[in-house]
Amino acid sequence: MAHLLMIESWVGAMSSLLPRAINESGHRFTFMTRDLHHYLRAAPAHPHPLLAADNVLTAETNDVPTLLDHVERLHAVLRFDGVISSCDYYLPATARVAAHLGLPGPDPDAVERACRKDLTRTTLREAGVPGPRFALAEDWPALAKAAAELGYPLVIKPVDLCAGMYVRKVTDESELREAFAAMEAFPVNARNQPRVRTVLVEELLTGPEVSVETVTVDGTTHVVGVTDKSVAGDPWFVESGHMFPADLPTDDAEAVAVAAIEALGLDRGVAHTEVKLTPDGPKLVEVNPRPAGNQITELVRRVTGIDLPAAYAQLAVGERPDPRPADTGVRSAAISFLLPPRSGLVSAVRGAEALEAAPDVVDWTVKRPGHRAGDPTSNNSYLGHVVVTDSAGLGARTRAEQLVGGLSVDYAEVPA
């Protein structure tokens, strides 16, 4: 039985899925956080993931040099066999802790390159991996000049945020300035880490988007499968649903994802790589050096039997996971998300009784009355989800969307 140190976590699905995977792999973990209340406030529907930890420790996880010294002292007492995190904001620190302790894990610099969109873009351009035309800017004059040279419409992105936060399509300089001002007004992320001021602006890619789910071991990347996704909320890019496997030709997208992982130098890890299938061929959107969120790993597990969070945990302790699929009897699995029509205080989500009665629904949830909904501008704004499986074919996506379409949201107040 190996002992993992988990440094922070997301508070969504992976906050339960990764602890479950560690325990089902026969291992145990100690959880470390700088802010315990961040997790207690989340009130997950499942048994709280912190209850599965052998120890819950508090430490300053945002200061890497201090963290390295602190974990080294803990390691002398608790003896860790691996270090892990599901939260993008702590993946580079986690890799540095593992390297500092001489434990298995990916190259910290490679993880940093993958987690920073500016470093990803420059690295992959030098390696010849297809992606959008782009520019980087540190201030408004440089950004306005770069955008004019690239030509509108464009996509503006912060280089160090997640879940689609502040990612927006802009069609002119006025919209660009508005988006830039919104980023400037958000100087620290949700974990109180100072943000990088660099802004990425890139050409707007058109076509379906997919994500390639992979496991890389000793320099060889195994493609577990490809997920297709629905995106809503123009000018925002909110992921409104996913289906595994993708109902699209994906060989070229897989090749781009593998090339990107190799160019970044990622090894001994699980990755979730997003690719746009444009009329000019597949182009890289981003590489996430951890298992997919939004319950995509559960879709993969229901179809293939492969538990990607478990593979992630196994790699963290030096084990070699088996990426071969099994026949589960499920041909497709999909999740569809309920997006808020607007911001406001939710008084009820109607229609959920149909989800309870549907035999093909394997998981669902909706927010309770009293939830304060935000505007539907990122993947943090969901009011619920439905997960459907199809044993006959690729019908799970249509069915999940149909069920979410039967839900409606009531608000406690009328907008002014």
Side-chain angles (χ1 to χ4, degrees):
M1 175 184 287
H3 183 195
L4 283 136
L5 173 63
M6 185 186 296
I7 300 176
E8 305 287 2
S9 166
W10 286 125
V11 295
M14 199 53 64
S15 70
S16 294
L17 295 177
L18 186 55
R20 183 197 74 186
I22 291 171
N23 290 337
E24 290 183 357
S25 297
H27 305 314
R28 59 195 181 94
F29 71 97
T30 287
F31 185 75
M32 177 180 286
T33 177
R34 67 185 301 274
D35 181 9
L36 185 59
H37 293 287
H38 182 83
Y39 301 91
L40 299 179
R41 287 193 300 266
H46 306 291
H48 203 288
L50 298 186
L51 295 178
D54 279 22
N55 312 287
V56 177
L57 309 175
T58 55
E60 181 47 79
T61 54
N62 285 351
D63 184 334
V64 175
T66 299
L67 178 64
L68 293 177
D69 291 341
H70 184 64
V71 171
E72 185 175 351
R73 292 193 298 271
L74 286 173
H75 182 51
V77 179
L78 297 177
R79 303 310 304 174
F80 303 116
D81 300 293
V83 192
I84 200 167
S85 181
S86 63
C87 181
D88 297 52
Y89 298 134
Y90 294 96
L91 296 178
T94 296
R96 296 197 185 284
V97 169
H100 183 70
L101 298 181
L103 297 176
D107 172 33
D109 291 337
V111 175
E112 182 81 22
R113 286 191 290 269
C115 288
R116 282 267 303 269
K117 294 178 177 65
D118 53 335
L119 302 181
T120 297
R121 283 280 178 253
T122 53
T123 300
L124 297 188
R125 178 173 60 187
E126 291 169 3
V129 178
R133 295 180 298 112
F134 71 93
L136 301 168
E138 304 292 332
D139 55 32
W140 167 248
L143 181 64
K145 181 174 183 293
E149 291 173 352
L150 284 172
Y152 295 95
L154 296 167
V155 179
I156 181 173
K157 299 179 179 181
V159 300
D160 59 348
L161 290 178
C162 308
M165 292 183 67
Y166 295 96
V167 177
R168 178 180 168 180
K169 181 179 80 173
V170 292
T171 60
D172 56 31
E173 187 172 294
S174 174
E175 292 180 357
L176 182 72
R177 179 123 207 183
E178 179 184 340
F180 176 75
M183 285 188 207
E184 288 284 283
F186 193 69
V188 297
N189 64 26
R191 302 306 180 95
N192 206 37
Q193 296 169 329
R195 289 201 44 247
V196 177
R197 289 199 65 195
T198 304
V199 176
L200 171 64
V201 63
E202 57 190 36
E203 68 171 312
L204 176 67
L205 299 177
T206 60
E209 187 171 325
V210 300
S211 61
V212 184
E213 323 305 339
T214 56
V215 177
T216 303
V217 186
D218 299 335
T220 300
T221 297
H222 306 269
V223 176
V224 172
V226 180
T227 311
D228 64 22
K229 64 181 62 183
S230 304
V231 179
D234 185 83
W236 312 101
F237 297 86
V238 182
E239 296 176 356
S240 58
H242 308 277
M243 186 173 80
F244 185 92
D247 189 14
L248 294 162
T250 60
D251 288 352
D252 290 343
E254 294 175 22
V256 167
V258 171
I261 290 167
E262 292 177 350
L264 291 169
L266 292 168
D267 197 0
R268 298 203 60 79
V270 173
H272 166 70
T273 303
E274 297 175 349
V275 179
K276 201 83 166 178
L277 306 180
T278 78
D280 298 323
K283 296 192 177 182
L284 195 287
V285 177
E286 64 184 32
V287 179
N288 301 280
R290 42 79 181 161
N294 271 356
Q295 295 208 51
I296 289 173
T297 60
E298 279 295 277
L299 306 183
V300 173
R301 186 180 66 84
R302 290 183 181 278
V303 174
T304 69
I306 298 170
D307 189 336
L308 288 170
Y312 187 53
Q314 289 172 306
L315 287 167
V317 298
E319 296 177 350
R320 190 181 186 94
D322 184 355
R324 292 176 298 179
D327 185 359
T328 64
V330 174
R331 296 294 169 260
S332 66
I335 185 168
S336 187
F337 296 99
L338 175 64
L339 297 173
R342 60 174 176 85
S343 62
L345 188 66
V346 175
S347 62
V349 176
R350 302 191 181 277
E353 61 277 1
L355 308 180
E356 187 72 44
D360 51 354
V361 172
V362 294
D363 183 54
W364 67 272
T365 187
V366 296
K367 293 293 187 183
R368 297 176 181 177
H371 174 77
R372 174 64 66 176
D375 290 318
T377 60
S378 78
N379 297 347
N380 294 323
S381 59
Y382 302 138
L383 295 184
H385 70 260
V386 180
V387 180
V388 168
T389 59
D390 182 359
S391 59
L394 298 175
R397 178 201 204 103
T398 300
R399 174 64 171 155
E401 291 176 348
Q402 175 193 30
L403 289 165
V404 166
L407 301 174
S408 61
V409 182
D410 292 345
Y411 291 89
E413 75 278 348
V414 177

